[in-house]
Each structure stands twice: as C-alpha cells, then as structure tokens.
Amino acid sequence: MAAKGSQCLQFSVSIASERTVRKKDYSLQFPWRCREERFPILVYSSLQLRKDSAYRRSVAPKLSCFPQNREASVLESGTCPATFDETVILKNKSEEIETYLDGRCIYLVGMMASGKTTVGEILSKVLGYSFFDSDRLIELSVGGTTVDDIFKLHGESFFRDNETEELQKLSSMQRLVVSTGGGAVIRPINWRHMQKGISVWLDVPLEALARRITSVGTESRPLLHNESGDTYAKTFKHLCTLWEDRSEAYTNASARVSLESIAAKLGYKDVCNVTPTAVAIEALVQIEYLLKK
C-alpha cells in the first residue's frame, strides 16, 4: 500500500545512521523487524521527511486524572527526545487501516491502570468510532453507583454478571472502541462476545502499574482498597496476585501491545515515558498486521 506521509511509530532521531538507507525521495527506510512471541511488532516502514518540519519535538500532555478523579493517571509522559509528529503518524496509520478494519469493533483489555480508557479515546477519535468504557456502562445500569460501591454493596459476582451483559450488547454493534475492565478476561463468555471484533491487550509491567496507581491512590480500585500499610508494596502485591489469575487469559487477545517493546524502540528506560499516542499507533500497527495476514 502506498505510504501516506509520516507512518508507523514515532522514532528518535538518534537512530544509528549505518542502519538506515536514505532514498532519493528524501525518505528513510528502516529494513528490519522486531519479533516478540506470537505477536510480531512492525518496527519500521518508510517514513517520509517533510522539508518544512522534518524533525519536531513532540510535547505530550501529562494526563493527571479523569472526571471525578475515578481513573488513575494511566500513561504519564516524561521528557521525550525530538521525534516525528505522533499526531500525523497516528492519522496516516488510521487511514491506512480503515479499509481492512471494515467497521469491526476494537476491545482493549489489560490490567487496571494499563491505559485502556486513555488509548481507547484516542483510537475512537482518529478512527471516527464511538467510545465506550464498560465500567461506566455498568455504573449507569446500576443507577449511577460507582464500581467501588457496586463491589461493596453487591459483590464481585454481581458486577461480573453486569459486565457480561454490557459486552453482549456492545458486541452486536459496529464501529466501537471499548475499554473493558481488568477482570473482563476471566470469563470465557466475554471472549466469545469480544471475538466478534478485535481484542488488543495493552501489556504494561506490573511495577509501572503499581507506580501509577500509587500516585493517585487506591480509593477507586475495589480489589486494592482493603488493607493498610505501604501503598506501593500493597498495590504491587495485589497486582501480582491478579496477574497470576489473569495473565494466561490476556494471551487470548487478537493482538498485543507491549509498552516495554515500544519504550525500547524509542530509547526510553522508563515505560511511563511512552505517550498514549505512541501506544495507540502501535495498536493500529498490530491490528493492521493481524488483518493483513
């Protein structure tokens, strides 16, 4: 498919010159791929350089919280090196994938605080899709009661039943991006609903998740807000327990987006420096690879 402007992921300008090939049309071609487990990550494609703004510093917003402070700061960004404009890359990639996607819904799965809502909103806007957060839908179905209160008043089983009902409703629609709850993957019936579309696992290291959750507190996390003691240690311990129960289920996803892999490609030591837009771009790259098989 013909390239449309800047494509694929953002790239640091410090990439070793001996591994790049400058073509006569002023583009840089990066000829190799990085493969990881069962989900190949397309690292490079032809990136068109524009003379007016070949390299620009991408200033990513620092996301502090969502309305009513019910969501953690999920993908905080730090200082980034000069990169290609992520917004342009995201737009071009979404245009490339539109035909292959053909209206299929996208379901984002992953641990709590992995960035599903933030990345989901970005994807929905660039694709022209509607966005739904399954947790918010459950809250509305129970009269506006928060997830934390639903767990306290009715228990986890009641919450999971409502979660399955909402996913069933969403699965009958098209052109949606859905952010699912961290535990939605534990019920096989939920996967049957999500398999009508494309599921994408946002894979974030547990240490990073614990830092994100700790930075805003565990009050809105019903599975974490039950014990006293050091917040980070308590959070990390619970995340490890949840991971043992859910890690295998996450591998059922159609595609995987690894923040560790993105950070490595961009030269970041901390995955929290990876912007939500970079994650959204990688999600589109993975979906495109899946649909072109």
Side-chain angles (χ1 to χ4, degrees):
M1 179 179 294
K4 300 180 181 179
S6 301
Q7 298 179 25
C8 204
L9 291 173
Q10 64 170 12
F11 298 100
S12 169
V13 299
S14 61
I15 295 173
S17 59
E18 65 270 15
R19 290 195 175 188
T20 65
V21 178
R22 186 176 297 277
K23 300 171 67 177
K24 292 182 180 181
D25 61 356
Y26 299 101
S27 65
L28 291 178
Q29 187 172 9
F30 302 85
W32 68 94
R33 296 185 178 188
C34 173
R35 294 184 175 271
E36 177 174 314
E37 297 178 2
R38 54 178 271 202
F39 300 105
I41 296 178
L42 303 183
V43 182
Y44 305 114
S45 69
S46 178
L47 301 177
Q48 185 67 38
L49 299 181
R50 297 180 303 185
K51 294 182 180 179
D52 58 338
S53 58
Y55 296 101
R56 294 159 59 180
R57 180 170 295 276
S58 176
V59 181
K62 184 180 179 68
L63 303 176
S64 56
C65 63
F66 286 92
Q68 301 180 10
N69 198 31
R70 291 187 297 180
E71 284 290 343
S73 172
V74 290
L75 282 173
E76 296 182 358
S77 59
T79 303
C80 300
T83 62
F84 290 99
D85 191 332
E86 290 179 332
T87 303
V88 175
I89 298 171
L90 179 68
K91 181 177 183 297
N92 289 330
K93 181 55 62 177
S94 68
E95 291 175 351
E96 289 182 6
I97 198 176
E98 186 175 5
T99 301
Y100 296 98
L101 198 55
D102 194 29
R104 292 181 181 87
C105 293
I106 298 173
Y107 298 89
L108 300 180
V109 302
M111 294 283 284
M112 63 178 72
S114 59
K116 299 184 294 292
T117 297
T118 307
V119 174
E121 289 178 335
I122 293 173
L123 288 173
S124 66
K125 289 177 182 178
V126 75
L127 291 171
Y129 275 29
S130 297
F131 174 77
F132 288 99
D133 183 315
S134 65
D135 282 355
R136 301 293 84 82
L137 291 176
I138 296 168
E139 289 177 339
L140 290 173
S141 71
V142 189
T145 307
T146 65
V147 170
D148 190 37
D149 286 339
I150 292 174
F151 269 72
K152 291 177 181 177
L153 296 172
H154 305 288
E156 184 175 358
S157 180
F158 175 85
F159 176 84
R160 298 300 174 198
D161 289 341
N162 279 268
E163 183 174 57
T164 297
E165 289 181 13
E166 295 302 332
L167 288 174
Q168 181 181 18
K169 295 174 186 176
L170 294 170
S171 68
S172 66
M173 305 177 191
Q174 284 193 318
R175 300 184 64 83
L176 304 180
V177 176
V178 180
S179 168
T180 67
V185 298
I186 62 179
R187 285 192 172 186
I189 190 173
N190 292 343
W191 283 110
R192 289 199 290 274
H193 297 319
M194 291 189 286
Q195 284 170 355
K196 295 179 181 178
I198 298 170
S199 54
V200 180
W201 170 26
L202 302 188
D203 185 9
V204 184
L206 298 185
E207 296 85 352
L209 296 178
R211 277 188 285 144
R212 293 173 184 174
I213 295 171
T214 302
S215 68
V216 296
T218 61
E219 288 78 7
S220 63
R221 306 289 180 179
L223 295 182
L224 298 178
H225 188 54
N226 293 314
E227 299 179 8
S228 59
D230 179 75
T231 304
Y232 175 85
K234 175 185 67 175
T235 300
F236 182 74
K237 178 182 177 181
H238 277 284
L239 287 174
C240 289
T241 300
L242 292 173
W243 177 252
E244 290 178 1
D245 293 336
R246 301 173 180 176
S247 57
E248 185 175 353
Y250 286 130
T251 63
N252 290 323
S254 309
R256 171 175 172 253
V257 172
S258 167
L259 260 70
E260 283 187 324
S261 295
I262 299 174
K265 287 182 288 185
L266 299 178
Y268 299 154
K269 293 182 179 179
D270 190 343
V271 298
C272 288
N273 287 333
V274 176
T275 67
T277 301
V279 177
I281 293 169
E282 179 67 10
L284 292 179
V285 170
Q286 293 295 334
I287 293 171
E288 181 179 40
Y289 175 84
L290 175 71
L291 295 178
K292 284 185 175 181
K293 280 185 177 179

